[in-house]
Amino acid sequence: MRTYAGHSSAAASNELYRRNLAKGQTGLSVAFDLPTQTGYDPDHPLARGEVGKVGVPISHIGDMRALFDDIPLDQMNTSMTINATAMWLLALYQVVAEEQAQASGADPQAAVRALAGTTQNDIIKEYLSRGTYVFAPGPSLRLITDMVAYTVSDIPKWNPINICSYHLQEAGATPVQEIAYSICTAIAVLDAVRDSGQVPPERFGEVVARISFFVNAGVRFVEEMCKMRAFLQLWDELTRDRYGVADAKQRRFRYGVQVNSLGLTEAQPENNVQRIVLEMLGVTLSKDARARAVQLPAWNEALGLPRPWDQQWSLRMQQVLAFESDLLEYEDLFTGSLVVEGKVAELVAGAQAEIARVQEMGGAVPAVESGYMKSALVASHSLRRQRIEAGEDVVVGVNRFETTEPNPLTADLDAAIQTVDHDVEAKASAAVRQWREERDADPQGRERAAAALAALSRDARSGANLMPASLEAARAGLTTGEWAQALRAEFGEFRAPTGVSGSVGVSSGGSDELKAVREEVRRTGVELGEGLRVLVAKPGLDGHSNGAEQVAVRARDAGFEVVYQGIRLTPEQIVAAAVAEDVHLVGISILSGSHMELVPEILAGLRAAGAGDVPVIVGGIIPDTDARALRAQGVAAVFTPKDFGLNDIMGQFVTIIRAARGLEERTTQPV
């Protein structure tokens, strides 16, 4: 039983973890901030506005010591949501465990072998959804392979990779796509480990036994439960037939779950509580397909960062189910059900066909590099949005049953979410600079750090397993940014396909509402003597691009010329693109909470470039107080998750452009 937590600083997160463990939480699930996830120190320019926002910043071994102070790691089960820099964070974790054992007079090697937990480390889904990749698929797969080989040998209870269907569903995947693309990722990893020669064939069953999955559970209860049974069947067949694993225990489909955050609503957020409970039941009612670990989001995640009380509420949901209900006392409730068996067979057949399609392309890596999987997810998400807008998919409180009584939970909205202290970034930046200065002021410390850095680069070039060099880098006091930069210098960086250009849009010309907007876009273009151009941009390190992609696709369907360059742009790059493309509107998408730092920089940059008259709009999870402040600084409009009607948003784009260009206001009418 976990809650996903971490913010501000290592010390603040440590306090939160110890408080949650005292309340009955049985494992830790660590959220790292975006600079840590993408390999930057807090004082790097790209970390601007992102430090401590969506997780805890960990820059070096000192931070990791503080994060787990008074928490015995050899007795803990820790899940770490980390991917591109997973090897580095595991190295830091191991070294802290060794130090804890030495301090207590225990055997450090025994403490390391006792470590239990998971590094997420699924880089494929990062190219498709979350966007916290650093390197190209090839080098990324090498890092995963090295970690798998190392943990099987040295940390036998550790799960070195958590293959994540969760984020695929968040990016719009259907159940068939969620199953298929996850299995394809597993095939890519297992083939790479097998072909590396680092694990003897007779021990390959141990590799399979350490592969775990992190799954999404949506609100369509029956379908989600059947999805898990289909996953079990396909995994068992794959590991038996493709990899020859004879031991049924090693072939178990071992998964943890976080229930769906995509379906949480800002409108009537109290409805999120029953959604979370239903979604939890989908992965617990069926004993034969039951999750090993469950972590639940909080009811107010669509509003902002949950408070400790909100996390406690989610933990208590699990405890009531486990200890008050009789749900865990019986054998599987669905064995022999014709409905369940039929649905499972349908999902298995669909997933097998999609797996075969990807394998014909050469597997998951080529399917990422070609943009096939990304385009498929963007298309699925677009179709989902269309069904919600048309009322075909009902979302209570959003597109039906919208009348509501005043909500006492959100009466004081600013107090209904956790806020991060404004000086977190400045403190973290100063601290990491001090760490490096003190390390290098000592000749022995400086020499050891330099030698560790050189060894890391050398092993990256030679093809040696990179885990030993990473462990020495941790012990020598290197920082997250230094470790990642050494590998960037050898491996280069990568920009994944956006999936937007190849994605389907609205079919059959769209609704009357969209047709009216399209006509208004055309008329306004005629009045201006040029087509309307929109720049959709994602500044900072936030890689959650689903919303930006859907806006870009719908803007294209509405007749706009769309400029979308993907994730991780600096304010300077966004300004340069706006000027070079001579756009009529700039749309900024930020979900990480860095809007108050990055948006003003973009506004100032546009003014300095002589483009201060280009209207800027912002979309994301933005509290009302921040939205008011952004509008006061010149932002033309702020959109949050409650603004789900993309056609209405497109209409507002036209209105904003007309106002900025001094044109007569028009009202779109259905044709």
Side-chain angles (χ1 to χ4, degrees), residues 193-315:
V193 173
R194 180 195 60 196
D195 297 344
S196 75
Q198 295 190 64
V199 179
E202 65 273 14
R203 297 193 66 183
F204 200 75
E206 297 174 48
V207 173
V208 170
R210 298 319 318 162
I211 303 295
S212 64
F213 288 76
F214 183 58
V215 180
N216 204 325
V219 77
R220 290 176 57 81
F221 169 82
V222 175
E223 187 172 59
E224 293 296 297
M225 186 271 294
C226 291
K227 179 185 74 181
M228 300 319 308
R229 296 172 78 94
F231 251 132
L232 261 70
Q233 179 179 327
L234 285 167
W235 181 247
D236 187 70
E237 293 173 0
L238 174 75
T239 52
R240 182 193 64 219
D241 299 342
R242 187 181 182 100
Y243 300 107
V245 179
D247 187 341
K249 185 176 180 181
Q250 291 179 328
R251 296 199 309 267
R252 284 179 181 169
F253 184 80
R254 301 160 59 252
Y255 79 98
V257 65
Q258 169 156 327
V259 307
N260 192 304
S261 292
L262 175 66
L264 301 183
T265 62
E266 180 184 13
Q268 298 183 23
E270 65 275 11
N271 294 331
N272 294 332
V273 175
Q274 50 264 35
R275 291 184 180 111
I276 291 167
V277 172
L278 273 172
E279 291 163 352
M280 176 173 56
L281 288 173
V283 292
T284 52
L285 270 181
S286 175
K287 183 178 181 181
D288 291 347
R290 183 171 291 153
R292 293 169 61 90
V294 176
Q295 62 187 47
L296 303 181
W299 69 277
N300 56 350
E301 261 193 28
L303 305 177
L305 188 66
R307 302 159 298 184
W309 183 85
D310 307 311
Q311 294 185 347
Q312 175 182 296
W313 194 356
S314 292
L315 177 63

Side-chain angles (χ1 to χ4, degrees), residues 415-545:
I417 56 174
Q418 179 91 5
T419 56
V420 175
D421 292 340
H422 292 296
D423 62 350
V424 162
E425 184 171 315
K427 288 181 177 177
S429 297
V432 76
R433 284 193 293 269
Q434 182 180 357
W435 175 272
R436 290 192 297 254
E437 289 167 2
E438 291 181 354
R439 178 198 68 195
D440 295 343
D442 172 30
Q444 286 186 321
R446 183 174 63 251
E447 290 174 12
R448 185 177 185 183
L453 202 56
L456 182 65
S457 299
R458 183 175 62 249
D459 285 357
R461 287 192 297 273
S462 72
N465 189 302
L466 284 165
M467 196 68 200
S470 295
L471 284 164
E472 173 55 19
R475 297 181 183 114
L478 290 188
T479 67
T480 298
E482 290 170 329
W483 179 88
Q485 184 53 40
L487 296 185
R488 280 187 174 95
E490 301 300 331
F491 298 152
E493 294 194 66
F494 181 73
R495 289 192 70 81
T498 66
V500 169
S501 60
S503 173
V504 300
V506 174
S507 58
S508 304
S511 64
D512 288 347
E513 184 184 34
L514 179 58
K515 291 175 183 176
V517 174
R518 191 180 296 126
E519 175 61 17
E520 194 61 22
V521 170
R522 186 195 67 78
R523 288 177 180 173
T524 301
V526 169
E527 291 181 59
L528 291 174
E530 57 182 341
L532 300 190
R533 292 178 296 281
V534 174
L535 171 64
V536 178
K538 286 197 64 62
L541 299 177
D542 169 31
H544 286 86
S545 58

Side-chain angles (χ1 to χ4, degrees), residues 311-467:
Q311 294 185 347
Q312 175 182 296
W313 194 356
S314 292
L315 177 63
R316 295 293 185 250
M317 292 180 199
Q318 299 181 63
Q319 292 168 330
V320 168
L321 181 148
F323 299 110
E324 292 190 31
S325 82
D326 61 351
L327 186 147
L328 303 182
E329 298 173 12
Y330 296 94
E331 295 304 308
D332 197 284
L333 305 178
F334 301 101
T335 300
S337 166
L338 295 178
V339 171
V340 170
E341 290 177 357
K343 186 63 178 177
V344 170
E346 174 191 325
L347 292 172
V348 166
Q352 286 174 328
E354 186 63 11
I355 291 168
R357 189 173 296 115
V358 172
Q359 294 309 306
E360 287 172 4
M361 298 176 185
V365 169
V368 164
E369 293 172 333
S370 70
Y372 168 76
M373 288 203 289
K374 181 64 173 177
S375 293
L377 295 180
V378 173
S380 294
H381 202 172
S382 178
L383 293 172
R384 175 184 176 273
R385 289 294 303 246
Q386 292 174 45
R387 292 194 303 271
I388 292 174
E389 289 174 326
E392 297 170 15
D393 288 359
V394 174
V395 182
V396 173
V398 173
N399 64 358
R400 195 181 296 182
F401 313 116
E402 299 165 62
T403 306
T404 181
E405 296 296 326
N407 186 341
L409 292 173
T410 58
D412 182 359
L413 197 54
D414 291 335
I417 56 174
Q418 179 91 5
T419 56
V420 175
D421 292 340
H422 292 296
D423 62 350
V424 162
E425 184 171 315
K427 288 181 177 177
S429 297
V432 76
R433 284 193 293 269
Q434 182 180 357
W435 175 272
R436 290 192 297 254
E437 289 167 2
E438 291 181 354
R439 178 198 68 195
D440 295 343
D442 172 30
Q444 286 186 321
R446 183 174 63 251
E447 290 174 12
R448 185 177 185 183
L453 202 56
L456 182 65
S457 299
R458 183 175 62 249
D459 285 357
R461 287 192 297 273
S462 72
N465 189 302
L466 284 165
M467 196 68 200

